[in-house]
Amino acid sequence: MIESGKLGNIVEIQSHYDYFHPQYNRKGFGLLHGLAVHTIDQLISLYGEADWIDFDVRSLVAPGESDDYIDIDFRYGRMKATIKCSLLVKIEYPKFIIHGDRGSFVKHSSGHQSKNEAGPTSVSYDIEPETNWGTLSYVDEKGGSHTENVPSEVTDYGMLYEKLLEAIRHHGEKPVKDHEVLYVLDILYAGVEAAKKAR
C-alpha cells in the first residue's frame, strides 16, 4: 500500500493490537514483549531507526508493575508512526491507519489470524473475504477522488523461519540484521523502564 504511491507522502501511521480484558491484573511487562514487539518489528523493517521516540507505556490496572497500555511514537522527519496496544478497547478498532498528503488507508483486521479466546490463535492461508479488505481513499494526480477496497495479501510466517534456517545452517543472509535486533531490544528496554516509572 505504501509502495503504491497512491497515498503520496506518508505523514502518519498507526498500528494497533487492541483487546478488551478489564479483568487483566497480571503483573509483569508481557504486553510490550508479547504483542507490541511485532508492530515495532514491522515499523523498523520499513523505516529503520527513528529520529526520536516518545514512550507512553504504563498500566491502567497495576501502575508501575505492568504494561497493559502502550502508546509509542516514532518520528521520522515530518512523519509520525504510532504503535498502540491496549487491553481496554471494547469496540473493534482499526488495526492499520495510514494517512498521506493524497489519501488515507484503513484496515480493521491484521489479516489471516483469528483471535481464539478458548485456545491458540488460528491462521488461515485462504484469501480473505472482501468484507475484511482494507479501504483506500485518495486523490489522483488530476484531482480525481477515488475510494476502493484493497485485498489482503496471503502471508506465511514460515518464510521467515526458512530464511533463518538458511542463515544458520548455510551462512545465508540473515532475514533480520543484528543491528535491527539490538535496536528493537533497546526500545523494549526503554518501554519497560517507562512503565516502571508511570505511577
Side-chain angles (χ1 to χ4, degrees):
M1 177 50 53
I2 294 174
E3 292 176 352
S4 74
K6 291 181 178 180
L7 297 177
N9 297 309
I10 305 301
V11 296
E12 182 179 6
I13 295 174
Q14 293 182 30
S15 182
H16 290 251
Y17 264 120
D18 295 321
Y19 295 86
F20 187 63
H21 294 303
Q23 73 283 1
Y24 183 90
N25 58 6
R26 205 177 308 158
K27 295 181 181 179
F29 303 95
L31 193 64
L32 188 63
H33 288 82
L35 282 182
V37 65
H38 299 305
T39 54
I40 293 170
D41 281 338
Q42 289 173 343
L43 180 62
I44 302 309
S45 69
L46 287 173
Y47 289 99
E49 295 187 11
D51 296 329
W52 74 86
I53 305 173
D54 293 319
F55 293 89
D56 182 1
V57 182
R58 53 196 161 99
S59 174
L60 302 174
V61 177
E65 299 177 331
S66 185
D67 62 345
D68 53 66
Y69 178 86
I70 296 166
D71 187 333
I72 306 176
D73 289 337
F74 296 76
R75 298 298 295 269
Y76 295 89
R78 294 173 56 196
M79 193 271 278
K80 180 177 78 169
T82 302
I83 303 299
K84 294 199 69 161
C85 296
S86 176
L87 297 181
L88 293 177
V89 176
K90 180 67 172 72
I91 198 166
E92 185 182 1
Y93 199 81
K95 167 65 177 157
F96 296 110
I97 302 171
I98 307 174
H99 299 299
D101 58 11
R102 284 175 46 193
S104 298
F105 173 77
V106 174
K107 186 167 191 330
H108 279 79
S109 167
S110 59
H112 303 278
Q113 294 190 108
S114 300
K115 299 174 186 176
N116 182 359
E117 300 296 336
T121 298
S122 60
V123 179
S124 171
Y125 299 108
D126 296 330
I127 296 175
E128 280 191 310
E130 190 170 348
T131 54
N132 203 34
W133 291 1
T135 301
L136 169 67
S137 182
Y138 68 99
V139 176
D140 64 26
E141 295 176 352
K142 296 181 179 179
S145 183
H146 306 270
T147 298
E148 57 191 57
N149 290 335
V150 180
S152 306
E153 293 185 13
V154 177
T155 57
D156 181 1
Y157 288 121
M159 294 170 60
L160 175 65
Y161 297 108
E162 289 173 2
K163 290 181 179 179
L164 185 60
L165 179 66
E166 181 70 20
I168 293 172
R169 290 196 174 170
H170 306 290
H171 307 290
E173 184 179 353
K174 294 179 181 179
V176 182
K177 306 298 182 286
D178 292 346
H179 70 275
E180 293 175 326
V181 174
L182 294 173
Y183 184 59
V184 171
L185 289 174
D186 285 341
I187 293 169
L188 296 177
Y189 177 81
V192 169
E193 291 303 302
K196 289 179 180 178
K197 296 174 184 176
R199 297 285 180 174

